Amino acid sequence: MVGINNILVAVDFDESVGNLLNYTESLAEKYDAKIWLLHVADPEPDFIGYEPGPQYIRDLKAEEYRDEHRKLQALCDRFLSKNLHAEALLIQGSTVEMILKEAEELQADLMIVNTHKHGFFFNLFSESVSLELFKKSNIPLLTIPVDGVE
């Protein structure tokens, strides 16, 4: 039997996150695995030149990141059993690359993500995170479909 010690769950802050975490919780309980709840925030904005940008923009972004981390921790507290070992992580960068990097660094045995159903034109012009993870990952990936076409 395959052992699962570390489960990386990539989340965004949509209404389907509760369903995703219910699946995660049942798997973590079964395998006594640690849950890493990961949200990839947008990278800091690039500014022209080599300066780090105006201080007020850096302050606004810092507050935004703190708010996102608080939301992430609240998801852990709300949806995951207190008996499970779970940790909330907020990182910045390109979503797919950062998820893969963190999964490798955390030695994840399984990644779990939501998949969104979209129409033809959306898929034609937009990148699907779950599809890109499927293409690039060497780690098993469990995708949980979100109901309905958006």
Side-chain angles (χ1 to χ4, degrees), residues 84-104:
L84 295 174
H85 188 70
E87 199 164 323
L89 300 172
L90 177 75
I91 57 175
Q92 296 173 262
S94 174
T95 304
V96 172
E97 286 76 19
M98 295 310 294
I99 292 171
L100 292 171
K101 180 182 176 202
E102 284 299 308
E104 185 177 312

Side-chain angles (χ1 to χ4, degrees), residues 4-150:
I4 298 175
N5 298 314
N6 288 299
I7 300 173
L8 178 72
V9 185
V11 299
D12 49 13
F13 297 116
D14 65 15
E15 67 279 349
S16 64
V17 73
N19 191 36
L20 178 72
L21 293 178
N22 287 335
Y23 277 97
T24 302
E25 182 177 54
S26 64
L27 282 170
E29 286 174 344
K30 178 177 179 160
Y31 290 100
D32 193 28
K34 180 174 183 175
I35 299 170
W36 299 92
L37 193 60
L38 175 70
H39 176 71
V40 181
D42 293 330
E44 290 199 32
D46 293 328
F47 293 97
I48 297 172
Y50 298 103
E51 298 298 315
Q55 183 63 43
Y56 75 93
I57 296 214
R58 293 192 341 238
D59 292 344
L60 286 172
K61 288 305 281 183
E63 184 59 33
E64 182 181 315
Y65 297 142
R66 283 190 292 273
D67 287 343
E68 286 182 350
H69 194 268
R70 282 191 284 269
K71 284 184 194 175
L72 200 56
Q73 190 61 51
L75 289 175
C76 273
D77 297 341
R78 181 175 173 203
F79 290 106
L80 298 174
S81 166
K82 302 293 182 221
N83 298 330
L84 295 174
H85 188 70
E87 199 164 323
L89 300 172
L90 177 75
I91 57 175
Q92 296 173 262
S94 174
T95 304
V96 172
E97 286 76 19
M98 295 310 294
I99 292 171
L100 292 171
K101 180 182 176 202
E102 284 299 308
E104 185 177 312
E105 287 180 8
L106 298 170
Q107 299 177 345
D109 302 300
L110 177 67
M111 290 188 297
I112 302 176
V113 297
N114 270 342
T115 56
H116 297 272
K117 297 175 184 176
H118 296 287
F120 172 75
F121 287 108
F122 183 91
N123 291 331
L124 184 63
F125 297 109
S126 179
E127 172 188 289
S128 165
V129 170
S130 55
L131 181 60
E132 288 301 309
L133 287 171
F134 177 75
K135 289 179 190 176
K136 296 179 179 180
S137 178
N138 295 324
I139 298 168
L141 177 67
L142 174 62
T143 59
I144 309 299
V146 175
D147 293 330
V149 175
E150 300 174 342

